Amino acid sequence: MPETGRPTNGSNAGGVRVGVYVCHCGTNIAGTVDVRAVSEYAAGLPGVVVSRDYKYMCSDPGQALIQHDIQELALNRIVVASCSPLLHEPTFRRALDRAGLNPFLLQVVNIREQVSWVHLDKQAATAKANDLVRAAVRRVFLHKPLQRRRVPINPNVLVVGGGITGIHAALTLAEAGKHVYLVEREPTIGGHMAMFDKTFPTLDCAACILTPKMTAVGSHPGITLWTYSEVVKVAGYVGNYRVQVKRKPRYIIEDLCLGCQECVTACVYKEGKTPDEFNLGLSKRKPVYLPFPQAVPQKVVIDPETCIEFKSKKCKKTCVEACGDRQAIDFTQKETLEEIEVGTIILATGFKTFDAGRNPYYGYGRYPNVYTSLEVERLINAAGPTGGELLLRDGKRPQAVGIVHCVGSRDANTNRWCSKVCCMYSLKLAHLIKERTGAEVYNFYIDMRTPGKGYEEFYDRLLDEGVHFVRGRVAEVTDWAAHPSEKGKLVIRAEDTLAAFVRRIPVDMVVLSVGLEPQLDAQAVRRIFNISCSSEGWFLERHPKLAPVRTFTEGVYIAGACQGPKDIPDSVAHAGAAAAEALALIDAQFVELEPYTAFIFEDACSGCKSCIPLCPYQAISFAEEKKKATINEVLCKGCGTCVAGCPSSSIQQNFFEDEEIFEEIEGVLAYA
Amino acid sequence: MKCAYYPGCSLRGTGKAYEESLLAVFRSLGIEVQELDDWNCCGATTYLSVDELTSYALAARNLALAERERMDIIAPCAACYLVLNKTQHYIRDYPDIKTVVSRALATVGLEYHDRVRVRHPLDVFLNDVGLKAIAAKVVRPLKGLKVAPYYGCQIVRPYATFDDQRNPTSMDQLLEACGATVVPYPLKTRCCGGSQKGTLPEIGLHLIRYLIAEAQKNGADTIATVCPLCQFNLECFQKEAGSQRHPLSIPVLYFTQLMALALGAPAATIGLRRSLVPVEPLLAAKEIAYA
Amino acid sequence: MELKRTVKFEADRDPEFARWISHTVGGERIRHCLQCGLCSASCPLSLYMDYTPRRLMHLSREGFKEEVLSSSSIWLCTACYACMVACPKKINITHLMYALKERAIEERFYPKRFPIPVMAQQFCRMVRGSGRITESWLILRVFLRTAIWRLLSMSGLGWKLFRAGRMPARRDKIQRQHEIVAMLDSVAATRKELAL
Amino acid sequence: MRNRQLTRAPQPQAAFEPRIVAFFCNWCTYLAADLTGTSRMKYAPNVRVIRLMCSGRVDPQFVLDAFAQGADGVLIGGCHPGDCHYQEGNYRTLRRYHLLRRLLRQMGIEEERFRLEWISAAEADRVRNAINDMVERVRALGPLQLEPKREDREEVAV
């Protein structure tokens, strides 16, 4: 046993014996806070039996030190001054538990994230650490042994979003024998990946690798697939969520529709009139349609906005006729609400692409031959509107194509972040465009970012293919010809920073490599699931490195591009990680909840009922026979709002009792 | 095996001392050489910039002449060594070049089948004779003589055939075997400017200045070179490259002159008197007897 | 102040030049250039260059022929091969410099009385005439055609070298000079035939 | 130990360092404060943070006690409206905050000494700015001058 233990004033206040442990955290704390002085100071506080400082309290020897002291010195309260309690409170609580002390007789003082890392003045930092330790010692006096609540885990899982991330997560869980509800907003699953032609860097066709997974989702007995549906409400808590799903009417009885599309052929519209969402408006669809040939489920949809029957009620309904005996078409279908119970939730709601119109100087929407990269994905897709031929709006083949990187990325005027996938998909498009049209292809980039397996090699291959790489951000795209060779062309103006002069490059087609953004309704969605967003609007993970798919809400996981820009391999890996986290929870069969619930001193309760409306979980009710409020512990989530609102102080919260907080307040303010 | 000695044009002019001392070392070490019959200019770096195809043909004539005699070539001049090596590589790598060269050789009744090795004296001394054998033959150890070994560019670049490309040490080892002290010389493979001193004098002088100043700073008594052009640049323009505040003066010798001296060759036969910077005071100061 | 248009139009580019450079001997890998600048940083002459080797590689593969061939850099290159050995993409930069020099001489992209091409031409002429180079004669010829005054300033050095026996007055010559001439003519003929 | 008279006296007048007690909610502001640390942002060392699960737990008594015990300012940090981990706890905080501010004003405590900030888990810079700004403002106001009051709560046995 190390002999750094300091003599204390030895006063034994009511049998309370406190041990104080000050962590150096290498130099993380010790570099700014005089840990020895803090430990010495703590040794002089009333009730402190032992006070030590140690290099790494969280290490095994550090924990053993506490355990040893508890047993040898009969300690019954522990204060650890170290990193944030959000990091190692569980570690130290386990240490107490192992030593036979109730884990809640511990108070952790945050002297790293909120002291040593944020202050430069060593003296002030040490004084602050002393104050915080003093408050903790005073507070821990009042701590009471508490018991965690165990709740069972419902093995069903909800996966929100049917892109490649959601698909992979759902399949992984279903294969593990769990029941999965996969909810997708669009009429089909597949997400953005279904729109792509080829995938980088291997150039395997997106449909070839995606559609088998899509059909597997559609036919898996363990997956309930609800497309054209949205989650509207989530209640409950980890392991026991109650979720309401809104199912929009597709005016087709899914169980009866075979996907034969005879109704589509028979529709009174001989030609499509509505911009096709899946092809980004580059083609037209009818009011009754299948989003794309490999859609899952293979069920058509009727769009009430454009269907004549909905407008005039006077349509000949040739579709119904074509459907015949199957009678799958139902114009009277209404929106329904389904309620399901799940134990865990995986959010895989993906991203949206940047609206290129926000950068007007690139001429998107003004010049017909300025496209977004996603549109070009559709144009070069064999199943796309042009059958895979890259043609300009006038049907001609482009002779020169400019690909503009970082549109809506790395730009303080729009989005500051790097969208991560654009370099690689731009290279892919450059390759495909050159291959299909033989055009001169110019890439305008700021930095070429190709960190991934086989990615740099792909870039090298593109270099060899003779694609031009101009390092510089494009200033503008215009149709103003400053030279005879520019007549009738779109002129891209950028500095070639490697050549160190400005270049004007006339092209026939401009591809804007748009960045990735959070979905427009990301804020609304995160509120439904009670999670946070980063300042950019991406869903916030619990820890950027060590808990990338967890959130601060237990049992709710995030996966894929809803957490930040990701390519397909990363999204799939993320999906697997989220599924594994959910499975780990399910297989544990129960989860322990913190015991921070509220309770009532019935003697003091006046029955004023003012607490009852304060509780968002309806955990407080009024017992008429006693004329007192009662709290249902199972429903209480431990926020403490009712405690603060009780006019007679007759509600208290475990671990956050009024007296405990008062001690802490007075502790930080009392002069030594 | 007898080798074909390919002196190259410079060793008949400014680099005369190189030839004299090299032959003396050959004699001392018992290496049998025979001058390549009717050798011609390799084309050097200059021909390459006017007409590279022709330059390969010119170099190939020498290769073919050696091949006919079934001998390997020893090329002491760094430029010759590189050009001959490079020609071999390009004939191997580019069928068009091979065609051009073969046809040109055929017009004068020559053939080339890539059976010749082009070697540098450093390589021959170090790997064929060996340090032990050389040390055994040293009669006049260069004790106390501090030498900066200067390899220049083309011995190790771009083809590192017998030494490390970034930090060659073959000459260091040979000189140490002769009893000399080799001083650290980080610029050992930095360019001397080649013919730049003749065409763009300021630039040539700039490069020469740093090479000499660094050798002097590191305490060298002399700089040892492997290339006639390097020797010429460093010796003949050192005065011009220096300034009043930082005068430059240091003998620049061929490594073969130092070796020949150690191996006991008569001083008169190794071209010491051809130096523009007098060598005698240095050798006297180091008590290296020579006669 | 003289103002010059610096913005480049695509019409300023010569795609044929770009094609040529990537198909010339040694230029096979130029397109792989990542523009890392290791060549420029390795080059002992880059501090005097108007375009560093890196920039020259980029301009060449993009086809900016005027800029490349009128650049001083191609003449400053001493063929020390430092760039080529360093290049992480194994681009034969030194050889490309030779190719550019050759092209620049062919298309007369150099100032009048510029000594480097003059020396190259005199060198070739001497090889054709003698089969070997006699340095003293070569230097004399070059200075006569470029800068006579420098000949005067060099005369001191020349005299010293002459006295040291390093400046032979007689021109060295091979015995079978006709072989050299025949070979040179053969190369010219084959080049024409194969359009190299 | 709780005698304010005794404890306040040694403070030298020249170098007034305000003492501020902060109540941060566990899910947003406390996290943001941790992020300030991991991002190594620097701020004034005058604030002592007390962690609560929700800003809705901040009992007005806590604030009053802090002022009574010698705090020169009190800062409450919670999730942005609509973002409360407990759905609507921060709305309760807001309501109590307005009431309490009025009460404090009547007690002669300047408004700037009592502050409520909405800081989400990602807004590390807001933690720094809020703390630095508040410290400066309170420093400008000087020490809180309160008539010493008799303890109205029972001592906890120590």
Side-chain angles (χ1 to χ4, degrees), chain B residues 53-71:
Chain B
L53 276 176
T54 312
S55 105
Y56 297 131
L58 281 172
R61 179 171 177 269
N62 298 310
L63 296 170
L65 287 173
E67 195 172 276
R68 197 168 61 186
E69 306 285 329
R70 294 174 191 281
M71 288 195 286

Side-chain angles (χ1 to χ4, degrees), chain B residues 122-181:
Chain B
L122 281 174
D123 178 17
V124 174
F125 297 159
L126 188 70
N127 298 315
D128 291 8
V129 182
L131 293 172
K132 248 189 199 160
I134 292 171
K137 289 190 178 169
V138 168
V139 295
R140 242 188 249 141
L142 307 175
K143 232 176 149 197
L145 189 69
K146 286 183 275 182
V147 188
Y150 178 56
Y151 295 78
C153 318
Q154 301 184 331
I155 289 294
V156 283
R157 286 196 304 257
Y159 308 113
T161 46
F162 63 90
D163 209 338
D164 186 87
Q165 207 151 26
R166 307 261 175 172
N167 181 27
T169 54
S170 49
M171 185 174 17
D172 302 38
Q173 296 173 54
L174 289 170
L175 293 172
E176 276 167 355
C178 292
T181 308

Side-chain angles (χ1 to χ4, degrees), chain A residues 99-168:
Chain A
L101 200 59
N102 183 283
F104 294 90
L105 298 175
L106 165 81
Q107 178 70 7
V108 174
V109 185
N110 185 346
I111 59 167
R112 191 177 75 173
E113 282 83 350
Q114 298 189 13
V115 180
S116 67
W117 279 350
V118 290
H119 303 316
L120 292 169
D121 180 348
K122 204 165 170 171
Q123 217 179 339
T126 307
K128 181 171 172 182
N130 281 345
D131 287 354
L132 294 172
V133 168
R134 181 176 60 233
V137 169
R138 287 182 62 159
R139 182 195 211 277
V140 84
F141 262 67
L142 304 180
H143 281 205
K144 294 179 180 130
L146 298 169
Q147 297 304 322
R148 284 202 182 87
R149 293 170 292 156
R150 271 191 174 196
V151 297
I153 301 275
N154 181 324
N156 297 344
V157 187
L158 167 67
V159 176
V160 187
I164 180 60
T165 309
I167 288 172
H168 186 76

